[in-house]
Amino acid sequence: MSHPHAANRREDRRLITGSGRYTADINLPGQLHGAFLRADRAHAQIVSINVKPALARAGVVGVFTGVDAVAAQYTHFPNLMAFAGRNGAQILKTERPVLATNAVRHVGEVIALVVAESALAAQDALDAIEIDYKDLPAVATVEDAIAAGAAQLHSNIPGNVCFEWETGDAKAVEQAFAKAAHVTKLKVLTTRVAPSPMEPRGSVISYDAASDSYDIYTPSQGMMMLRKQVSTLTGVPEDKLRVHTNDVGGSFGQRSGVYPEHGALMIAAKQLKRPVKWTGSRAEGFMSDAHGRGLEISGELALDKDGQFLAARYDFLCDMGAYLTPTGSISHLRNPATLMTGVYKTPALYGSFKVVVTNTVPIAAYRGAGRPDIAYAVERLVDRAADEMKIDRTEIRRRNFIPPDAFPYKTPTVGVYEPSDFAGCLEQALATADWKGFEARRAAAKKRGKLRGMGLSTIIEATGGGVFPKDQVAIEVDGEGKLNVFTVSMSSGQGHETTFTSVVADALGIAHEMVTLRECDPGHELIGNHTGGSRSMAGVGSVCKVAADKLIEQAKPLAAEELELEPSQVDYAGGAFRSRDGDKSIGFVELAKKLAGRHPHPMNTLAEATVGSTWPNGCHIAEVEIDPDTGVTEIASYVAVDDCGTVINHQIVEGQVHGGVTQGAGQIFQEQVIYDRTSGQLLTGSFMDYGMPRAGLVRDINVGDHPLPSKLNAIGAKGVGESGCTASLPALANAMTDALRPAGVTGHLDMPYTPSRVWHSIQAAKSNQSR
């Protein structure tokens, strides 16, 4: 049976039939092609570089190196860290020329750009560049980076620690731990992952000498944020930068920041006076696209004798890779700090953070951006406490949920939660998953020689508040009375063409096909935030509603003029303006057509609003089955119950949950970027070595809603883009722990739960039992 809000996604036919238009599809007259030479080692001084042999190759028109980057002063990347650290210290920023100058600090760092008449000619010439290196010791893990005597990556960052920060009340936590009846401890790792969107990175950049301006064609999550970052990196004023983004084949936070390649291509386009195009390979993606996660979290939970939480403290080691990205450090600190209490009323909290640089690919925000990491730590710690205190896993959560009468709830660290019904989400999920019938399913699995486990997580998120102070939406009317809605956020699979237009059409009472979305049109100078942090629907979607309501009020005098009435005598409903007595009416579309001869159209509207963070939450329950002879795990059942506020389109909600859960499952069972600890060489540089989730990994997901509409925006939306990632990590890990416990695996086992790791844990438990 179809959901009442499950209209088909409007963009799907275009995208799945090959009619999408991506950056690689863009070609400009007279364009050249670029290829990047990348470091083949993790840490080394560049003693010399000779590009003359490459310049002599057929078709090559230019080679650019760090000398050009320094000359252009493209050496300092933006960083969104907006608060001071311990003792008021500011974050120590990493100098990063867009083309390496004196040293390379990770495998894949860009060293030179070859520009030629064809992509193949540029690629072939890379081998002709001669580089003399002096190798340096590499530190590929945070433990090695902060060890005494470790090789130092940057001269201005002693001990490779660029920032330390703390939040909460350390003294109150210490006092609570002193009187606790029980303390549970757990150290977890959220593995480093490669986002790997379907569309590789790429750009086409042209320079106009007459206006001293650039056109930048590139995948992004929103043109305003990218334009601001490019301006910060290059010093080029924002009004001299036009960012063009067409369809985007996935993002996951990876496209939220400016990259060295943007700056290098700008240098080449200006010097050569021709557009330059570069399309990255999948191999380049693994070694240069910003990675995600990479947090080590040590947690402690203090409880009284009845299992009530008294306090918790967490220590975070945050791997930032070789350089700071715009979003990496802020998302790995602010979001975990905001959500450190989870969905529980924990009187005292304390968190300490250490931000570390290593000889690896830089880290940036990745779907959830710190929220899945802290949810993973909190929910695994809660399950461990329940096991140690012999309290049912659901009961310990019920005892500690923030009660409904406590909202709005000020957490002991950062943030104020909006009203939520955590217990309601839990009970709905338990019923849907048939929690009570699990032991019978476990017994049946045991007869088949399988280990079956069930795990849950109850989580909350804070959506992104935005970098810019407001979001704007413009609505323009064409000659046929159809509406074009302009925004500066950018869809990369979220379905904005469906949801944003639905909000406008439903508010106006007109057919959905009368409304078309235009995203990131550089011809419309709007202020607004990028797509990220599950904020688009609550932010831009709300402004779409504000704009539609404003359009009605703006059009009432125009309708009154047509109806020969006073504006006060005109009402609007069902797509038409009517006189109060109902004798006269004119449809919205009819009015728009009648006024089409005026320029600009008098019904054109610009609306804006400031929308802050919302607080989506939910309960996910996973059921897994392990073959102990092979260590292979199957996800037998998955239930997701989310409070994402008002549901605009359920098909979109389902798609977001399905994608998020699958990404979470991929990280839990197979995804992990691995570096050789000694050399810093990337060992998982292709899909032959890096395990991506396949379609069959999560075969069926039961998606349920438990909406409590938000009062923080015009449409009541809370967001759903990251709940699947955030909740699935702990739910699946807890299910694995539950499945392995009867096999004697009682020690801590962490992601990824590969068949090898699971099998060896079972064998080790058997060996211990036989002693």
Side-chain angles (χ1 to χ4, degrees):
M1 189 174 86
S2 64
H3 193 279
H5 300 289
N8 287 334
R9 288 165 42 111
R10 294 175 61 172
E11 47 271 85
D12 281 359
R13 180 174 293 276
R14 183 183 83 255
L15 297 177
I16 66 175
T17 57
S19 300
R21 183 170 169 81
Y22 300 90
T23 298
D25 297 317
I26 303 298
N27 292 291
L28 301 179
Q31 75 184 16
L32 298 166
H33 297 265
F36 287 96
L37 179 68
R38 300 181 182 277
D40 62 0
R41 58 204 69 198
H43 199 196
Q45 290 179 1
I46 299 176
V47 178
S48 64
I49 179 167
N50 180 16
V51 302
K52 290 181 180 179
L55 280 168
R57 292 288 181 93
V60 173
V61 296
V63 179
F64 301 87
T65 66
V67 173
D68 302 285
V70 172
Q73 299 183 39
Y74 292 6
T75 58
H76 289 88
F77 277 69
N79 185 274
L80 298 179
M81 182 69 74
F83 49 84
R86 185 169 284 158
N87 299 320
Q90 298 299 312
I91 192 167
L92 301 176
K93 296 183 179 180
T94 52
E95 184 175 347
R96 185 187 189 186
V98 297
L99 295 168
T101 52
N102 301 318
V104 294
R105 295 179 175 87
H106 71 88
V107 172
E109 182 169 359
V110 286
I111 299 173
L113 166 62
V114 174
V115 181
E117 295 289 348
S118 72
L120 289 177
Q123 188 71 35
D124 286 344
L126 294 180
D127 293 337
I129 297 176
E130 300 170 352
I131 303 180
D132 183 18
Y133 290 109
K134 179 182 179 182
D135 288 326
L136 299 171
V139 286
T141 68
V142 289
E143 291 87 357
D144 290 346
I146 62 177
Q152 187 160 311
L153 271 71
H154 302 271
S155 60
N156 67 315
I157 303 179
N160 296 318
V161 177
C162 58
F163 194 69
E164 292 187 79
W165 183 62
E166 57 187 352
T167 184
D169 189 335
K171 185 177 181 180
V173 167
E174 191 66 38
Q175 292 172 348
F177 269 80
K179 64 180 182 182
H182 182 84
V183 173
T184 292
K185 300 180 180 181
L186 188 66
K187 180 180 179 180
V188 297
L189 168 70
T190 56
T191 50
R192 173 186 281 256
V193 294
S196 306
M198 286 190 291
E199 179 191 11
R201 273 196 305 124
S203 295
V204 186
I205 296 180
S206 65
Y207 172 73
D208 180 66
S211 60
D212 192 25
S213 63
Y214 297 83
D215 285 277
I216 302 170
Y217 298 82
T218 192
S220 76
Q221 294 177 219
M223 67 181 189
M224 284 289 292
M225 182 169 177
L226 182 60
R227 186 177 74 173
K228 187 176 185 67
Q229 291 185 23
V230 171
S231 177
T232 301
L233 169 64
T234 64
V236 177
E238 289 186 52
D239 62 359
K240 298 293 185 180
L241 300 169
R242 290 175 296 277
V243 176
H244 306 259
T245 298
N246 296 288
D247 290 315
V248 179
S251 180
F252 318 122
Q254 179 230 47
R255 306 193 199 277
S256 61
V258 62
Y259 280 88
E261 291 85 352
H262 289 125
L265 292 168
M266 287 173 65
I267 292 171
K270 183 174 183 178
Q271 288 197 22
L272 299 174
K273 299 179 175 57
R274 290 171 65 181
V276 183
K277 179 177 182 177
W278 164 70
T279 301
S281 67
R282 186 61 66 185
E284 286 180 290
F286 275 107
M287 67 175 73
S288 65
D289 292 3
H291 290 168
R293 308 280 191 254
L295 270 72
E296 294 183 16
I297 308 173
S298 298
E300 296 180 81
L301 178 63
L303 306 92
D304 69 13
K305 61 182 179 60
D306 298 317
Q308 294 281 347
F309 299 170
L310 302 176
R313 57 189 170 205
Y314 298 91
D315 291 320
F316 298 80
L317 275 178
C318 308
D319 184 356
M320 287 293 105
Y323 300 99
L324 297 180
T325 63
T327 61
S329 52
I330 183 67
S331 64
H332 279 58
L333 275 69
R334 180 191 61 197
N335 290 338
T338 302
L339 303 168
M340 202 179 294
T341 194
V343 295
Y344 310 108
K345 192 169 185 177
T346 311
L349 285 173
Y350 174 74
S352 63
F353 297 77
K354 187 173 290 187
V355 179
V356 182
V357 290
T358 60
N359 289 118
T360 58
V361 170
I363 293 276
Y366 172 70
R367 195 170 191 170
R371 303 172 188 88
D373 309 81
I374 188 59
Y376 185 68
V378 169
E379 289 300 292
R380 293 211 64 187
L381 195 59
V382 169
D383 253 36
R384 171 67 68 89
D387 179 52
E388 291 176 350
M389 296 188 73
K390 308 305 178 187
I391 302 173
D392 179 81
R393 291 175 286 171
T394 62
E395 178 58 27
I396 199 170
R397 287 172 167 83
R398 291 187 187 97
R399 292 180 190 179
N400 290 284
F401 279 149
I402 299 167
D405 60 5
F407 294 101
Y409 180 72
K410 174 68 176 71
T411 73
T413 50
V414 185
V416 180
Y417 291 179
E418 66 178 317
S420 302
D421 181 15
F422 305 138
C425 284
L426 172 64
E427 299 307 327
Q428 183 176 332
L430 292 174
T432 304
D434 186 21
W435 182 271
K436 293 180 179 179
F438 170 68
E439 289 304 328
R441 297 191 295 277
R442 191 202 286 267
K446 185 177 181 180
K447 290 181 180 179
R448 291 183 279 106
K450 302 295 178 67
L451 301 171
R452 197 169 180 113
M454 203 169 192
L456 80 158
S457 65
T458 48
I459 60 94
I460 189 168
E461 304 175 280
T463 61
V467 174
F468 297 95
K470 59 186 175 183
D471 290 291
Q472 292 180 329
V473 169
I475 300 179
E476 296 183 0
V477 185
D478 67 16
E480 297 179 357
K482 295 183 178 180
L483 306 183
N484 289 293
V485 178
F486 294 88
T487 74
V488 293
S489 61
M490 189 66 214
S491 176
S492 55
Q494 291 85 356
H496 293 173
E497 290 178 48
T498 300
T499 51
F500 290 174
T501 56
S502 295
V503 170
V504 173
D506 291 346
L508 296 174
I510 62 176
H512 287 198
E513 57 267 23
M514 296 297 294
V515 186
T516 300
L517 180 66
R518 310 287 186 190
E519 294 188 287
C520 290
D521 180 352
H524 287 72
E525 193 65 27
L526 299 172
I527 297 172
N529 289 285
H530 70 303
T531 297
S534 302
R535 77 168 309 278
S536 295
M537 201 66 239
V540 182
S542 290
V543 185
C544 286
K545 174 65 164 62
V546 173
D549 291 343
K550 182 179 178 181
L551 176 52
I552 292 171
E553 294 305 312
Q554 184 173 315
K556 274 186 179 180
L558 302 170
E561 183 179 338
E562 291 292 329
L563 298 174
E564 298 181 336
L565 296 168
E566 290 293 324
S568 61
Q569 298 302 308
V570 176
D571 291 327
Y572 186 83
F577 296 93
R578 293 181 175 83
S579 61
R580 291 279 172 85
D581 58 17
D583 290 342
K584 296 180 178 182
S585 67
I586 184 170
F588 179 92
V589 175
E590 182 185 355
L591 177 64
K593 288 180 178 179
K594 281 193 172 188
L595 300 174
R598 304 186 194 179
H599 298 286
H601 198 291
M603 293 170 67
N604 289 353
T605 302
L606 175 68
E608 62 184 44
T610 298
V611 180
S613 293
T614 52
W615 304 87
N617 58 90
C619 176
H620 288 208
I621 298 178
E623 205 162 332
V624 300
E625 199 165 277
I626 302 170
D627 183 344
D629 293 331
T630 64
V632 172
T633 301
E634 176 185 342
I635 300 174
S637 170
Y638 197 97
V639 169
V641 174
D642 286 299
D643 171 13
C644 60
T646 301
V647 175
I648 304 299
N649 181 293
H650 205 268
Q651 188 179 83
I652 299 291
V653 170
E654 291 176 17
Q656 290 294 300
V657 173
H658 288 184
V661 169
T662 302
Q663 279 185 268
Q667 184 173 3
I668 283 291
F669 290 112
Q670 56 205 86
E671 288 192 63
Q672 184 179 17
V673 173
I674 300 174
Y675 286 91
D676 180 85
R677 191 164 183 175
T678 301
S679 67
Q681 280 293 333
L682 178 64
L683 302 181
T684 51
S686 77
F687 288 134
M688 293 291 288
D689 305 298
Y690 185 85
M692 282 288 285
R694 291 352 188 233
L697 180 60
V698 188
R699 297 176 187 174
D700 186 40
I701 303 176
N702 189 319
V703 179
D705 308 317
H706 193 86
L708 194 62
S710 176
K711 296 181 179 179
L712 302 178
N713 58 72
I715 59 175
K718 289 182 177 176
V720 73
E722 292 158 323
S723 68
C725 253
T726 300
S728 62
L729 294 183
L732 288 163
N734 286 339
M736 292 298 293
T737 300
D738 186 55
L740 290 167
R741 190 177 291 113
V745 181
T746 56
H748 176 59
L749 193 65
D750 215 336
M751 65 171 79
Y753 293 87
T754 61
S756 174
R757 182 172 290 186
V758 170
W759 184 85
H760 278 95
S761 71
I762 294 172
Q763 299 309 306
K766 287 181 179 179
S767 177
N768 290 335
Q769 290 169 354
S770 63
R771 289 176 184 172

